[in-house]
Structures are given as C-alpha cells and as structure tokens.
Amino acid sequence: MSKETLEFQAETKRLLDLVINSIYTNKEIFLRELISNASDAIDKLHFESLTNQDILENNSEYEIIILPDKDTKSITISDNGIGMTREEVISNIGTIAKSGTKAFLEQLKDNGETTEELIGQFGVGFYSAFIVADKVTLVTRKAGQTSAVKWESDGTGEFTIEDFDKESRGTTIVLHLKKEFTEGEDNFTDTRTIERLIKKYSDYIRYPIKMNFEVTDKEDESKKTIEVRTINSMQPLWTRSKNDIKTEEYNDFFKHQFHEWEEPLEIYHTKAEGTFEYTALLCIPKKAPLDLYYSNFEPGLQLYSRHVFIMDKCKDFLPDYLRFIKGLVDSPDLPLNISRELLQQSREVRKIGKSLEKNILKQLAKMLKDDRSKYEQFWNEYGKSFKIGIYNDAFTGQTANDLKDLLIFQTSHENKFATLAEYFGRMKADQDKIYYAAAKDIKTIEKLPQMELLKDRGIEVVYLFDPVDEFTLEALHEYDGKHFQSISREDFKLDDEESKTAQKQIDDLTKDNESLLKDVKESLKGKVDDVKLTSQLKSGAVCLVTGANGPSLTMEKTFEAMNNPFFKASKILEINPNHALFNKLKESQGKDNFNDFCDLMYCQALLIEGIMPDNHVELANKIAELMTN
Ligand code: ADP
Ligand code: MG
C-alpha cells in the first residue's frame, strides 16, 4: 500500500499539544515508557508462543536494544516482541484507548494542577516520546507476518504510514531529538545518561536491555572497540528480598506494572514455601475504579511461573469481594502449557488463592487495629465490596463469618466509625439487640423521631447510609448472639423496665381508642397497612415504620431504583398518644375534617422519612389553609 497521511484523533491531538508545549521537568520518563512498551510487546509474544511455537521464527532470545547516536542526534529503542500490523499501528498509536490517559484528560478539565504535574502522575505512554523528540519514526513488523510498516510523525496533527522492509519481527522507534536534548545535562545521545536512567527506572524489566558501549583500549588509547552490555539486572522486583526494596521502588513498579497513575494505598509482598510455593505482590489502589461494580469490570491477578509471564487477569485466585486487589502471583508449581480455563480451575490456583485471601484479611485486620484512618480510607473506597460480598453469600454465611470483624459503620457514638465488636463493648447491660437506622445521611437519621428516646437512654445506634447496608445486616443476621434491630420497624421495642411500663400504658390506651384507630386506618386505606399507638416517640407526633419482616422503606427505594416496583414495604403509621396532636385527632373523629387530618398526619410521617408525598401540591394547599385559619 502506498504512503498515507492520516490525522490524529481529536483527543490525541490535544494530548500531543499538551505534551509538546508543556515545559515539563521530568523529561526522562519517555525512556521508561518506551521500554515498558517494549517489554509488554515481548510478554505478548511470549504468551502467544506458548500455544504457537512457529511465531518465534526460531528466535527466542528476547531483547530490547537502545542506541543513542550523537551523529544523527537520535535515540533508537528496538524490541523483538510481537510487533504491530498496519491497522494496529493506526488504532494503537493514533487514538487514545488507554484508560489512564483518558483519566488524565478528564482530570485536566476540572483540575487546578498544572499539566506538568499531571503528566508526571499519569505517564502518557507512547506520546511521551514527543516530550524530547520533534520527529518520531516507528518501524514495526508483526510476528508471523512478512510485511512491515513505517509510521512517522512530528506530533503536530498528522502522521504518515507506508509499507516498509524489516528483516526481523518487532518494533524499532527512532526519536529525532530536539536540540536541547542532545547536549548538556539532558543529553540523551550520551550512553552514560541513558545507562543511569535505565538503572533508575527499568532495572527490574525481565528482558535484557542492551546498549553498545565504546571501550578504549588500555594500552593504545586511539584504539576503540564496541562492546554490547546488558544494563538492567533483570531481577523481577518481587523476587528480591523485602528488606532490600524501597517504598518508591514498590510504588514505581506498581504504577508501571498495572498502568496505575497513583501510588497504592497498601502493598503486600509475601512468599510461601512448603507444600506449594509462591511469591505474591498484591496492592490495594488508593481509589476504586469507577466501573468496579459493573459486570464488565475484569478483576484478576497476573500470573507468572518461574518469573515468566503466563496470563493476565486470572480470576480464580481471589473471591469476588476482593475484586479491587491488583497484583501478581509467581509460582513454580503452576503448569505452563495448559488452557486458561483448566489453569483457573486447577487445585494449585485454588490453594494459593485461599492462602492469599487469608493473608489479605489478616493484613486488613492489622490495618484496622494499627492505622484506623488508613482503614477508614480503605473502607470508603471498598467497604461496599465487602458488604455486597456478605449479601451475595448469605446462603452459606461463610463470607459473613470471615468479614464480620472487618465491617465498620458510623454510629451515634460521636458519629464515628465503629466495628461491631466496639459497639458490642459499649452495649447497656440489659440491651440485647444491636439497633440500626437507615437513611441518606446523618442529619436525617438524627432527626428521626425514634432517635430521641434512644439518645435519652444513651443507647448507641448504627447508621446505615448505603442502600446495600440493610441487605448486608439481614444477611449477617446477628453478631455474637445479638440480633440486629431496625428502629424503623414495627417490632422495635426497648427492653428496659421503663419501656416495659410505657408499653403497658400503650396497650391500655390502644384498647380505649380502638374505634378511633380503626377510623384512621380506614381513612388511610391503600396508604398504610396499619395504624398503632406507640411508646417509642418522645416529642415527635407520628412516625412511619415497616413490618417486622419484608422490605424496609429504604429497601423499597432500592428496588424501585432497580425498576422492581413489586417489593413494597408494609407501612405502619405510629402515633404518639402523649402528643397534643393526638387529642386534636380525637376531637376531629366523626367531623368533616377528619380525613384531611389523617392525611396530614400521614404526610408528616412520610416527610420525616424523606419521602415526597404523591399529593404534594394538595398538601401544600392544605398547610396554607391551616395557616390562614
Ligand atoms: P499502554 O502501554 O498503556 O497501552 P501506550 O501509549 O504506551 O499505552 O501504548 C499504546 C499501545 O501501542 C500499546 O498498548 C501497544 O498496543 C502499542 N505499542 C506501543 N509500543 C509498542 C511496541 N514496542 N510493540 C508493540 N506494540 C506497541
Ligand atoms: Mg505503555
């Protein structure tokens, strides 16, 4: 095919513009980006070769070669990895598909940080070449194919692509350096500068990074020979001893290996020996990905056998509730040449997975104990995952058992996070339930009329804000023998003597007002399922509770949001007989305004729950009427 000139995608153009025009301080990152691409390309080739030997064309000596050149003022990076077809070059290099780079552009929109800082955080992959080069030439041949292509661009808006000859598979990238990078401090044509950068950023790359060095003869200084040396130690980070690895090394590795742009919240590096051997490097990213709970999210760990990459996103190591963990497992016990499906089901994978799961939970328990604020940070990002995990495994209850002591909830005790054990420890001597309230925020819960009495008695209440919380507690069922009790359900009662006496009074009053309650119920038919007097209210006049079983009001909202309007909560209107409103209600029984009175009481109860009454316009009119009478 003849030479084509194509335009970069609009987003890419913008990015290139930023890269080229920013006076970026950390110019050297281009090398680490291009070397990491080269290493990825060799990984891909190696992976293919496991099932297709032919693709290697009898050359399995993987290598990355760097050639700085003073004469042509360029630096060349070559690899003998998988290479790219013409179409792949156009789509991989011409467009931005990478999520990290997309996120970078998003951040730019609404962030005060400067472009330079952001490029440093994200790394802009291949495009970082244009930080130092005013022209980039890429020649590539896909492994197993005969035709190669040449791609070229000055990064301003267009690139050219044409057929080309290339003897061996892989990719060669020539950076024609801007003048300022061919002299002085940032001279990227100088082998010493390059050697230092490779040692600094790319030492752990698993394939040899080779460079030509000019060696002067010891006896005759005018005699010079060229020597090829491998610069990196090629020792994968995870195979080194923990004590010798600096935090920055871990962080850098994490960012690179998993295409992350922020350092992780936590890193676990463990080795196991004995019946089965493995090394694992696991990380908790600081931020949960936006699609963590979507079905197209692909969890999983990278898998290595004897330091050789076998597969990405191996799902069966960790349970679903740990889907946010990123990392890798390297084990000599894993078979190299079997299919993905068989490998995932293998006994070794399951065993290693179990041990990793245990380990992670142990580490998290430690974090909860030793570094509460970090744990809360973790919880804000991933707590939901644990809660969903417990709910989804309600049948066996195993997950609930494993995770119950890692759950934290905000409670009425100073509005801080508490574990269930901490709540348990603060329970009153005669308290035999764990009380909880669900609403959208603290303010709403604190104003629930039922809260008043609990506060008076100094009883702690667990706050639930996430729609999944109530489902989780139902799945948990109990903690250390104490059942969970919603303060918004019909069966909510305090158990102390005072409350028991109050309840007796209510029972008597209920008998005395039987016909009144019947009339209110009749008037609110279709809106509530029952009307009762209650002793659980102090200054509040009314409240709305749900039946002891079945969906709660918040659950009903969740079901509605999921387009499932059939799971309705059974609603019970509770009236405080000690409130002046009750006497007014009595007075209006049998009068014209009785129905209005009942409806207004019901609407009040709805509003307290944060539910908008259906007839809100009518309600507003009625209030106006009341105010003017
Ligand atoms: P990322 O590496 O995060 O995917 P880059 O911008 O660094 O993003 O690279 C974009 C894509 O270009 C890569 O995903 C890969 O498909 C392709 N690519 C880049 N360099 C090479 C290379 N040396 N060999 C083969 N493919 C490459
Ligand atoms: Mg890359």
Side-chain angles (χ1 to χ4, degrees), residues 276-322:
F276 49 98
E277 253 178 68
Y278 69 81
T279 301
L281 190 62
L282 305 179
C283 311
I284 303 174
K286 222 171 242 167
K287 288 258 172 313
L290 293 174
D291 58 351
L292 184 62
Y293 302 109
Y294 292 121
S295 56
N296 59 354
F297 179 80
E298 272 194 279
L301 303 178
Q302 291 181 348
L303 194 57
Y304 289 80
S305 177
R306 299 177 197 279
H307 320 335
V308 175
F309 176 75
I310 307 187
M311 87 170 52
D312 204 6
K313 313 249 179 215
C314 183
K315 284 195 203 59
D316 287 39
F317 280 113
L318 297 176
D320 206 46
Y321 71 81
L322 290 174

Side-chain angles (χ1 to χ4, degrees), residues 33-34 36-42 44 79 81-84 88 92-93 95 98 101 124-127 138 140 170-173 259:
E33 293 291 336
L34 297 181
S36 111
N37 283 352
S39 162
D40 287 349
I42 299 175
K44 283 180 199 156
D79 65 71
I82 189 90
M84 284 178 274
E88 282 170 341
N92 295 346
I93 307 286
T95 58
K98 204 169 87 146
T101 315
V124 284
F126 177 81
Y127 304 107
L138 174 147
T140 184
T171 304
T172 296
I173 299 169
H259 303 276

Side-chain angles (χ1 to χ4, degrees), residues 11-27:
E11 256 183 330
T12 315
K13 261 193 216 166
R14 227 183 107 217
L15 180 68
L16 280 166
D17 226 39
L18 288 167
V19 170
I20 291 170
N21 294 321
S22 67
I23 320 150
Y24 182 54
T25 40
N26 207 2
K27 292 140 192 140

Side-chain angles (χ1 to χ4, degrees), residues 41 49 148 166 222 234 238 258 279 333 391 403 408 423 466 577 603:
S49 76
K166 189 176 186 300
S222 66
M234 286 194 281
W238 65 89
F258 304 109
T279 301
D333 298 333
Y391 172 68
L403 301 185
I408 54 173
Y423 180 102
D466 190 321
C603 287

Side-chain angles (χ1 to χ4, degrees), residues 215-413:
V215 189
T216 320
D217 195 288
K218 275 195 191 114
E219 263 133 53
D220 179 356
E221 281 201 10
S222 66
K223 253 171 88 185
K224 292 192 171 146
T225 46
I226 297 289
E227 192 183 289
V228 183
R229 271 193 241 145
T230 297
I231 303 163
N232 54 328
S233 72
M234 286 194 281
Q235 193 182 14
L237 184 86
W238 65 89
T239 61
R240 287 166 49 195
S241 154
K242 257 207 272 202
N243 303 332
D244 298 341
I245 306 175
K246 295 195 207 83
T247 313
E248 304 95 76
E249 284 182 279
Y250 275 127
N251 289 346
D252 270 354
F253 178 78
F254 165 76
K255 286 199 226 169
H256 256 114
Q257 189 81 4
F258 304 109
H259 303 276
E260 286 276 338
W261 52 275
E262 231 184 340
E263 47 202 48
L265 183 74
E266 195 76 344
I267 293 182
Y268 305 127
H269 185 183
T270 50
K271 278 188 196 349
E273 271 147 14
T275 44
F276 49 98
E277 253 178 68
Y278 69 81
T279 301
L281 190 62
L282 305 179
C283 311
I284 303 174
K286 222 171 242 167
K287 288 258 172 313
L290 293 174
D291 58 351
L292 184 62
Y293 302 109
Y294 292 121
S295 56
N296 59 354
F297 179 80
E298 272 194 279
L301 303 178
Q302 291 181 348
L303 194 57
Y304 289 80
S305 177
R306 299 177 197 279
H307 320 335
V308 175
F309 176 75
I310 307 187
M311 87 170 52
D312 204 6
K313 313 249 179 215
C314 183
K315 284 195 203 59
D316 287 39
F317 280 113
L318 297 176
D320 206 46
Y321 71 81
L322 290 174
R323 51 177 28 217
F324 53 85
I325 298 272
K326 289 206 164 187
L328 58 88
V329 177
D330 188 352
S331 169
D333 298 333
L334 292 167
L336 268 173
N337 277 325
I338 63 170
S339 76
R340 192 181 179 92
E341 287 68 32
L342 281 178
L343 184 66
Q344 295 211 14
Q345 288 158 19
S346 80
R347 213 170 54 104
E348 287 82 3
V349 166
R350 275 209 311 274
K351 271 193 170 167
I352 292 175
K354 264 279 154 248
S355 134
L356 290 177
E357 180 186 1
K358 256 203 197 140
N359 203 299
I360 294 169
L361 295 185
K362 211 172 83 194
Q363 301 283 356
L364 285 173
K366 193 166 166 322
M367 193 202 292
L368 174 62
K369 198 167 129 255
D370 299 343
D371 192 346
R372 194 59 175 249
S373 77
K374 192 173 190 180
Y375 191 82
E376 286 176 11
Q377 202 185 339
F378 160 78
W379 190 255
N380 285 329
E381 291 298 317
Y382 305 108
K384 196 188 186 79
S385 184
F386 280 20
K387 295 188 275 197
I388 294 173
I390 291 178
Y391 172 68
N392 282 339
D393 187 30
F395 186 67
T396 74
Q398 184 56 47
T399 310
N401 206 42
D402 293 343
L403 301 185
K404 63 180 192 299
D405 284 313
L406 288 172
L407 299 176
I408 54 173
F409 296 97
Q410 264 180 290
T411 79
S412 58
H413 182 77

